[in-house]
Amino acid sequence: TVTPLRGWGGGANAKQVSPAGWMTALPVFEPHWQVTMAHGLATGWIETDGERVEFTDCPAYSEKNWGGAGFPLKWWWVQCNSFTDFPDLSVTATGGNRGVVVVPNMREDVGAVGVHFGDRFFQFVPARQGAPELPTSYGSEAAIEASAVRWDVSWGSWSVSAIGDRYEVSIQGTCTDDDKSTV
């Protein structure tokens, strides 16, 4: 079973929003990407190679990607919602090289970062899409920041930053081949 705690944007009962704003609905901006659960708790079991592991209230995350002609040739993402000292923190960052559907053979690099911390939500996206009215459930310090998202990503290492008008975020992440990871 999975108990959702946060969608994309705001607290547990906040309205789900699109990571790329209303323009995501246009077929020009592919791929389409929606974080369906930025933070949740899962209870159950998983079996691999004959070994069954049971778990209770483990951090969970889910997203959906779809699209056609503009789907990235390559992409990356990093997500963590398992911070021992901050159990109500969830960080998601992604980027890729996608096709521009209306201009054949044209590609562009795009990225986004989202930080949920308690009832506060901070989203860093490439362009401001109007002046969004943030629901009060986003928290008094919430923001959607127009920002250049920059990254340096290689196998096992992520360095991501975004600087907006009021806030900035910097993420450093690593993982090893033996499945022990740290963000």
Side-chain angles (χ1 to χ4, degrees), residues 16-28:
Q16 182 89 323
V17 298
S18 170
W22 64 269
M23 291 174 31
T24 300
L26 303 175
V28 174

Side-chain angles (χ1 to χ4, degrees), residues 61 79 109 136-138 143 151 157 174:
Y61 167 87
Q79 197 287 327
D109 288 338
T136 56
S137 60
Y138 278 26
W151 61 83
S157 175
T174 60

Side-chain angles (χ1 to χ4, degrees), residues 13 25 29 37 46 48 54 75 78 97 100 105 108 111 124 126 130 133 137 139 158 160 171 173-174 180 182-183:
N13 298 315
F29 299 104
M37 184 178 58
I46 187 168
T48 182
E54 296 186 11
W75 66 93
V78 61
N97 179 268
V100 179
N105 301 317
E108 66 178 345
F124 298 84
E133 190 169 313
S137 60
W158 298 262
V160 185
I171 301 166
T174 60
K180 295 177 183 175
T182 312
V183 174

